Amino acid sequence: MRRYGWLSALVLGSAPAWAMQALDDDGLASVSGRGGISIETTGGGWSAASVEYREDGRSLRLEGVSSRPQQPGSSSSTTIDVVDERLHVEHQGRPNELAVNNIGFAGSDKSFGAFRAFYTLGASLRLSGGGASGVAGFSVDGSRLSLDAVTFYYRDNGFDLIVRNASFDAYLNNAYLDIVSGGNGSAVRLDLGDTRFVAHVGGIGLDLAHGDPVAGVAVTPGMADTRHPEHARSFGQLDMDLRLGGSIRIAGGGASGQGLRLIPQITIANSLFQYKDDGVLRAENFAGVLSSQNGITLDLGEDGSGRYAQLAFQDLKLNASLGGLIIGNPGNQKIGSLALDLNFQDQGARQNGVKLRPGGDPNSGLKGITADLSWNMISSSVSLTDNGNSMWFSGLRTHGSGQLSVDLTRSCAAGVSTGCYAGSANTQPGSSGYDGHFDGLRLGLKNLSGGYSFDGLRVGRADAPLQGGTELLVLLEIFPAYDFTLNGQLTLRAGGASGDGLRYDADFFVTDANAAITVDESGKGLWLAGTRYVMHFREGSLDVTHNGVQLNKGTYWSTLDVHDVRWGDRAAGQSLGRIVLRRYEQGSTLSLSSGGAGALCVGGSGASSAACTASGGRWEDRGNEGLTAGLKNVFVRDTSGNPAGSVSTSEKRNQLIIETDRVNGVNGTGAQLVVDNFHTSDANPSDANANSYGVRVDLNLDVAPTRVCNKGASGCPPVSPDPLGFAVNGRVHFKEINVDRIQNVHPTGGAVTSMYGMKLQNADIRANLTATPIN
């Protein structure tokens, strides 16, 4: 490159043209005589009526595209120089605004929405010739790209999702850019070398208060905060510090015809991920590999439902380890480390990909996003390491397909206004048939049909014998195998029960479901077959506090209708009858925190090793890692009454129905036992209505050695050394459970109350279970 010993000034005016401007004597006096080029840019930016990407006869269109400075008259500076045969580029951008007023397909009135970003761009680049081969391409070393003071608005039907106080920095060392050839043709290959990516997001919030500002009023950073303080609340803060290696290849040609193909072989090492509310979710040592042999393809297509942009991958492998996991207080004990080995692979009709379509839910206007999802994961596993002891959930498989819509929506509860949807006639937010909207980010679920299963547990080694033990997680509604069809919606609002976090309203409708309580490798076990499960949540919240993750279910009511409890095969096994479970709860919670059982007495009682041994027990120290889960279910009494001679059909009621001897398997034709209108109480003599304690289940989950005896040998001698197992230390306790009545129901004789007004008080049940291989 030829070096010039003069200074140039280029000015970008309001018109889209560059002009050379002569320097006066005062300006020339500041020239030092050093070689290089300095460029100072001012002006009003640029705009385009539309920008199109065309592929296979289809056009993805961006309308109203513009880039302009946030402050008129501000300037950016760029210097270019050559030092030690390397090109040095230093850029300091001005605060800028990038806007796209509409994203959609040419000729369609539906839209993905719009976005607006405020940011400052900076760069410090060190470039030289020669790629990874040392012959052609570019070498990048000691370089940095940064986006600072970022505020991002995604607009859907006049409402905004807002990313605030964000920054992104990429540090490039020993990186190379080449054009290479291979099995998929020529491609651009980026070798990441020693790349570091640092990101901070100060908060993600919503503005649903006013919608589009009045004509002539521009969106500016902080606008939502001043218009409505509620929308200054955040989903929480994110921080990432990723150290990346490997490569990414970018080639032409999608899954069919024109398109784009990305082939990742990315490694992650010694990285940090953290979510922060009042407490933290932190992985202090995040490492892994993301790879694909055939790549991830991008195509534009069209079918009977309209045009779409498709991301697809025939194969994708994610192998990741999250070490030093902490939930709650940064000074808390750790869970240990979590490892994922996930393998996605196309198999016949089971494909992996997503089709993105403009427009969301039909009742949410013409903007939003609809995604047709399909996935197929094979031969995968999830493992937990606790104080050096490892356990694998082995043989994990899942597949499915369905549709997900994403919209920003607003309820009409505060009055009918533009953009809100109140639901169909005669439906209320508290009813099961409600199909309206709530305030927030709405995720709509339509015919999401799929399932999952895993073979069992392996403890100690990845190739250890398969064993049971997954049944111990059924209390958390984690089943060894589950298939389903899911419809419904989940609407999220920023801000938890206090401070950051999230609040939610949800309606889920599960049909055609089969859930295994226990199952062997041949699919035989105890199944909840032909299940219909309806769940409703109102005013729930999720927070991360110093005590861990706190999920509050708010007001919750559900109906679980199991057509057949089957023993053996889920489709043809012997039916034990039908079960219906209705639940009505307020203030029920689930909490998760790091740290397991620690030291405890097994088979006896005592707070010390000596006291435990004296009571005939065994003192076990399971270490300072593990997971603690706490469930609290507060069952509320239905005050609608107890009809005589019949079974109540109120949906907000706690009720258990067991039905047997049905005629040809038809529900309602058999004999029923009904435990009706059960509810919890604090048993407080001074306040008969107090009901906050509920039924509590405390679980400590660890991977730890335990004593096992050989029952096949005389005297049942202990196995040596103590085998590792999946250890669950549990406690169930409540103050009072009331049952209004127990009914016997005959299909022709009607319902008769056999017992009335039962109370169970002050139960405290403790159990310690460890699952180990039989062999």
Side-chain angles (χ1 to χ4, degrees):
M1 178 178 179
R2 191 175 177 185
R3 302 183 66 182
Y4 297 89
W6 43 263
L7 179 68
S8 297
L10 299 177
V11 180
L12 178 64
S14 58
W18 292 86
M20 188 73 75
Q21 183 178 23
L23 291 174
D24 56 20
D25 290 342
D26 292 336
L28 287 171
S30 65
V31 177
S32 66
R34 188 183 66 174
I37 300 174
S38 294
I39 302 172
E40 184 175 341
T41 305
T42 61
W46 58 268
S47 64
S50 65
V51 176
E52 291 190 6
Y53 168 71
R54 297 179 181 175
E55 178 205 312
D56 293 330
R58 302 173 184 87
S59 296
L60 183 64
R61 184 182 180 95
L62 281 65
E63 299 176 347
V65 184
S66 64
S67 176
R68 56 176 57 90
Q70 295 181 33
Q71 295 89 28
S74 61
S75 63
S76 64
S77 64
T78 305
T79 61
I80 304 173
D81 206 347
V82 176
V83 179
D84 298 329
E85 299 184 350
R86 295 181 69 86
L87 180 65
H88 288 210
V89 180
E90 300 288 338
H91 175 76
Q92 180 54 56
R94 56 188 172 180
N96 202 57
E97 175 189 351
L98 176 66
V100 179
N101 292 336
N102 193 65
I103 305 172
F105 288 98
S108 173
D109 59 349
K110 292 185 176 181
S111 168
F112 287 109
F115 75 83
R116 192 172 302 246
F118 300 85
Y119 62 91
T120 299
L121 173 66
S124 178
L125 302 178
R126 305 290 183 266
L127 308 173
S128 62
S133 63
V135 179
F138 290 96
S139 169
V140 185
D141 192 29
S143 299
R144 176 184 177 186
L145 296 170
S146 63
L147 285 175
D148 294 317
V150 177
T151 302
F152 177 85
Y153 294 81
Y154 166 71
R155 175 154 293 190
D156 171 13
N157 298 313
F159 308 136
D160 290 315
L161 183 147
I162 311 162
V163 179
R164 303 186 184 93
N165 304 324
S167 63
F168 306 92
D169 295 276
Y171 301 87
L172 304 173
N173 294 288
N174 301 316
Y176 297 94
L177 186 67
D178 294 271
I179 296 179
V180 298
S181 60
N184 294 305
S186 297
V188 175
R189 172 171 170 155
L190 172 62
D191 283 277
L192 295 172
D194 301 316
T195 294
R196 182 183 176 197
F197 177 73
V198 180
H200 169 78
V201 177
I204 302 174
L206 304 173
D207 177 17
L208 309 173
H210 294 278
D212 281 309
V214 296
V217 178
V219 174
T220 59
M223 185 173 187
D225 298 2
T226 59
R227 289 190 295 171
H228 200 295
E230 163 70 10
H231 299 287
R233 301 185 71 180
S234 166
F235 284 113
Q237 177 179 303
L238 293 175
D239 289 280
M240 287 186 291
D241 188 348
L242 305 180
R243 299 179 185 272
L244 307 175
S247 67
I248 303 173
R249 285 192 293 166
I250 305 173
S256 62
Q258 298 174 338
L260 190 66
R261 184 181 298 267
L262 282 77
I263 305 174
Q265 297 289 334
I266 300 173
T267 61
I268 306 169
N270 193 28
S271 298
L272 170 74
F273 174 85
Q274 176 175 285
Y275 166 83
K276 185 177 181 181
D277 186 356
D278 292 330
V280 299
L281 290 174
R282 177 189 295 173
E284 295 181 339
N285 186 5
F286 175 33
V289 176
L290 177 67
S291 63
S292 174
Q293 297 299 316
N294 293 284
I296 303 168
T297 57
L298 172 63
D299 295 270
L300 301 183
E302 187 172 6
D303 57 18
S305 300
R307 295 180 179 178
Y308 56 82
Q310 175 178 275
L311 288 171
F313 45 93
Q314 296 180 36
D315 65 282
L316 187 67
K317 180 180 179 65
L318 173 62
N319 190 304
S321 174
L322 292 85
L325 280 172
I326 296 175
I327 299 179
N329 193 312
N332 277 0
Q333 296 175 342
K334 296 178 174 61
I335 293 177
S337 63
L338 179 69
L340 308 172
D341 183 12
L342 308 182
N343 299 284
F344 294 89
Q345 183 75 51
D346 284 357
Q347 289 182 319
R350 295 180 178 177
Q351 305 285 310
N352 292 287
V354 54
K355 295 179 180 178
L356 299 175
R357 304 179 188 273
D361 182 84
N363 294 311
S364 301
L366 296 176
K367 296 182 179 180
I369 302 171
T370 296
D372 293 347
L373 306 173
S374 61
W375 72 93
N376 187 56
M377 188 173 74
I378 63 171
S379 303
S380 299
S381 64
V382 176
S383 68
L384 177 66
T385 299
D386 170 1
N387 291 111
N389 303 318
S390 296
M391 173 185 67
W392 284 262
F393 290 88
S394 185
L396 176 61
R397 297 172 294 274
T398 177
H399 70 275
S401 63
Q403 194 172 81
L404 172 70
S405 60
V406 182
D407 295 278
L408 299 175
T409 63
R410 190 169 63 192
S411 169
C412 295
V416 177
S417 61
T418 303
C420 75
Y421 174 58
S424 303
N426 301 320
T427 63
Q428 299 295 325
S431 70
S432 292
Y434 182 67
D435 64 345
H437 288 155
F438 298 94
D439 291 349
L441 176 66
R442 184 182 191 273
L443 308 177
L445 308 169
K446 183 177 180 181
N447 294 332
L448 199 65
S449 180
Y452 72 83
S453 65
F454 46 87
D455 292 339
L457 300 178
R458 299 183 190 270
V459 178
R461 308 185 317 274
D463 60 349
L466 277 172
Q467 64 178 71
T470 57
E471 300 82 5
L472 301 177
L473 297 178
V474 170
L475 277 175
L476 298 175
E477 297 193 35
I478 300 175
F479 302 100
Y482 193 31
D483 53 74
F484 56 85
T485 297
L486 175 63
N487 286 272
Q489 64 84 26
L490 170 65
T491 303
L492 308 175
R493 284 179 292 158
S498 63
D500 291 341
L502 64 87
R503 288 161 291 163
Y504 64 94
D505 294 280
D507 300 278
F508 299 126
F509 306 93
V510 180
T511 56
D512 305 317
N514 298 290
I517 302 300
T518 181
V519 63
D520 64 15
E521 60 271 18
S522 65
K524 300 295 193 298
L526 181 63
W527 289 89
L528 307 181
T531 296
R532 180 177 180 270
Y533 198 2
V534 180
M535 293 167 279
H536 306 277
F537 300 82
R538 298 292 182 264
E539 294 295 327
S541 63
L542 178 65
D543 292 88
V544 179
T545 71
H546 282 186
N547 294 322
V549 175
Q550 302 286 330
L551 173 68
N552 191 314
K553 293 165 69 173
T555 297
Y556 167 79
W557 69 102
S558 67
T559 299
L560 172 67
D561 192 335
V562 181
H563 190 273
D564 289 290
V565 179
R566 292 192 182 276
W567 182 255
D569 185 78
R570 63 181 172 182
Q574 178 66 42
S575 176
L576 305 181
R578 174 196 180 206
I579 290 179
V580 179
L581 176 63
R582 292 191 176 96
R583 290 191 288 174
Y584 177 36
E585 305 173 31
Q586 289 181 337
S588 295
T589 60
L590 166 65
S591 64
L592 297 173
S593 60
S594 48
L600 76 165
C601 185
V602 179
S605 60
S608 67
S609 177
C612 178
T613 303
S615 70
R618 180 190 181 199
W619 188 254
E620 287 188 1
D621 188 351
R622 295 178 179 174
N624 61 353
E625 296 181 351
L627 180 67
T628 293
L631 294 88
K632 181 179 77 170
N633 296 101
V634 180
F635 299 107
V636 180
R637 186 173 187 266
D638 177 16
T639 59
S640 65
N642 302 317
S646 64
V647 177
S648 173
T649 59
S650 173
E651 61 182 14
K652 289 184 178 180
R653 193 178 184 94
N654 295 296
Q655 186 182 76
L656 173 64
I657 301 174
I658 300 173
E659 183 177 9
T660 59
D661 296 326
R662 291 168 295 172
V663 179
N664 298 322
V666 177
N667 291 342
T669 61
Q672 297 180 357
L673 175 69
V674 182
V675 181
D676 188 42
N677 212 8
F678 61 88
H679 54 280
T680 54
S681 170
D682 290 351
N684 186 349
S686 62
D687 185 359
N689 296 319
N691 187 14
S692 61
Y693 195 85
V695 177
R696 302 191 180 193
V697 180
D698 304 322
L699 301 173
N700 304 120
L701 309 178
D702 291 275
V703 184
T706 191
R707 180 171 297 175
V708 175
C709 72
N710 185 354
K711 293 186 68 174
S714 176
C716 195
V719 176
S720 182
D722 291 345
L724 284 175
F726 175 37
V728 178
N729 181 54
R731 179 188 177 203
V732 179
H733 49 114
F734 58 84
K735 292 185 176 181
E736 182 174 284
I737 295 178
N738 299 275
V739 180
D740 273 13
R741 58 181 178 173
I742 295 179
Q743 296 174 281
N744 292 314
V745 184
H746 190 273
T748 57
V752 176
T753 298
S754 58
M755 299 183 68
Y756 185 82
M758 294 179 59
K759 290 182 182 292
L760 293 83
Q761 292 184 323
N762 299 324
D764 194 337
I765 304 168
R766 301 168 189 259
N768 185 78
L769 303 172
T770 303
T772 60
I774 293 176
N775 55 344

